[in-house]
Amino acid sequence: MAATQDPARRATAAEVARLAGVSPAVVSYVVNDGPRKVAPATAERVREAVRRLGYRPNRAARALRRGTTGIVGLVIPRVANPFMAELSEAVQAAAERRGLAVLAAGSGNDLGVERRLLQTLPRHGVDGLVVATVMGHHDTAPPVRPDLPTVYLNAPFAVPGCAAVGPDATQGARLVVDHLLGVHGHRSVALVTGESGARTAGARELGWQQAVTEHGARPGPVVRVAWDRPGGSAAVEALLGAGARPTAVFATSDAQALGLLHGLRAAGVRVPEEVAVGGFDGVEDGAYAAPPLTTAHQPVLAMAEAALDALEQPGGPGEGHALFGLDLVVRQSCGCTATT
């Protein structure tokens, strides 16, 4: 068993797990002496890896709950959504750095399914829950076990009585719409968004409204479609059938924006020459779109770390709402030369 650990850097449970050839959860069982038994030969491999790497258990991660599984439950709307896939990967990376494993489940954008998952995942022995919710503005968070730390992630608004982490979605939407109006001189910007009342849609729509009002521009048509590529593509017919075809469109998710680009291209509409397009999320796919997508980039890694930090707080995550600002990523879909 060879080790290459830099002595100036603190070893992680994930590195111990790789060196010993086991999962991070098994490392947790060995260093915490339970709650599950580990075969003597396997436990000795883990202890040898601990010695070689000079590993010291992360007290914060252990504070989730002593003597438990080392598993965090993650609820996301849809894995097929490119942003949710990136967010899920960020949570898993943050958990791995803490020696924790992730059990992920998809709600299918269905609030009823989400609430059932919040009741069933604890039966699988998770130590805490991270929930990318599909709740609307007027929905209330369902009760969860009081001793089970729970954090709502990707929440642009506070979740009463709960800990929440999310993007400053209003600020992010304004970045894109301000750019379309202020830099490119459009006099109206259409909105392609999700269902009315959705928690994520509301903040983004508010940012669009604020930017349009401050620039004295005309609000373009509003088209409500599904939060995916087919939804964005389907929005094209409504946009092109509007009384005055918009010269710019803001889509409240990159998935919708990618579908929008596809639909416009299929309709023979040139982007950005005839219609400029901006998105929201900052998914990797946007850099490879045709043309590459201008968008507001969410700091998924920082938000995932904050969610795991909240879970690890002694006494539980408590209440509160941590908001993260977004950055404007300028590419060709708005009419600019790409800067990133």
Side-chain angles (χ1 to χ4, degrees):
M1 189 182 295
T4 58
Q5 177 67 27
D6 179 356
R9 185 175 65 83
R10 180 171 176 165
T12 67
E15 290 166 336
V16 173
R18 282 193 292 270
L19 185 58
V22 299
S23 69
V26 171
V27 174
S28 176
Y29 303 152
V30 173
V31 299
N32 291 316
D33 196 25
R36 297 186 180 180
K37 292 183 179 180
V38 177
T42 303
E44 182 54 35
R45 287 207 316 274
V46 172
R47 285 191 285 268
E48 175 63 16
V50 168
R51 287 191 292 270
R52 286 178 177 269
L53 294 177
Y55 171 68
R56 291 174 295 158
N58 185 320
R59 292 181 180 179
R62 293 175 67 185
L64 275 173
R65 284 166 63 206
R66 288 280 304 189
T68 50
T69 62
I71 300 173
V72 173
L74 171 64
V75 179
I76 57 176
R78 289 189 69 227
V79 178
N81 181 307
F83 173 73
M84 287 300 164
E86 292 185 13
L87 188 65
S88 177
E89 287 186 357
V91 171
Q92 292 181 65
E96 184 180 4
R97 284 190 283 274
R98 292 162 170 79
L100 301 170
V102 174
L103 176 62
S107 68
N109 279 320
D110 187 312
L111 182 58
V113 174
E114 177 184 303
R115 295 192 169 192
R116 286 194 293 274
L117 288 171
L118 297 187
Q119 300 303 314
T120 58
L121 279 175
R123 300 172 195 164
H124 295 274
V126 298
D127 295 340
L129 290 170
V130 176
V131 186
T133 187
V134 296
M135 286 192 297
H137 292 299
H138 304 297
D139 295 317
T140 56
V144 295
R145 251 177 34 201
D147 63 333
L148 187 67
T150 301
V151 177
Y152 285 87
L153 180 59
N154 195 41
F157 294 126
V159 180
C162 302
V165 175
D168 188 342
T170 300
Q171 172 260 347
R174 288 183 59 167
L175 280 177
V176 179
V177 182
D178 278 341
H179 182 77
L180 292 169
L181 293 169
V183 173
H184 294 285
H186 293 281
R187 297 310 306 150
S188 68
V189 177
L191 178 71
V192 172
T193 188
E195 62 279 9
S196 180
R199 190 170 292 270
T200 50
R204 301 176 193 193
E205 186 168 340
L206 177 61
W208 166 78
Q209 290 173 338
Q210 289 179 350
V212 168
T213 299
E214 289 182 7
H215 283 270
R218 299 186 310 275
V222 176
V223 181
R224 301 191 186 278
V225 291
W227 292 96
D228 53 23
R229 293 178 181 89
S233 184
V236 171
E237 183 177 356
L239 290 170
L240 297 184
R245 177 186 294 188
T247 60
V249 183
F250 169 56
T252 55
S253 79
D254 279 355
Q256 292 169 322
L258 293 171
L260 185 63
L261 291 174
H262 170 80
L264 289 170
R265 186 166 58 250
V269 178
R270 295 175 300 154
V271 177
E273 292 84 357
E274 295 178 82
V275 177
V277 174
F280 185 109
D281 280 333
V283 302
E284 184 179 0
D285 287 356
Y288 302 96
L293 180 65
T294 292
T295 184
H297 179 262
Q298 295 203 52
V300 290
L301 294 176
M303 292 193 301
E305 291 285 353
L308 269 293
D309 285 345
L311 282 186
E312 295 169 355
Q313 291 300 313
E319 298 183 31
H321 187 211
L323 274 181
F324 287 77
L326 286 76
D327 295 317
L328 181 66
V329 179
V330 175
R331 300 191 181 105
Q332 287 96 326
S333 71
C334 65
C336 286
T337 301
T339 61
T340 183

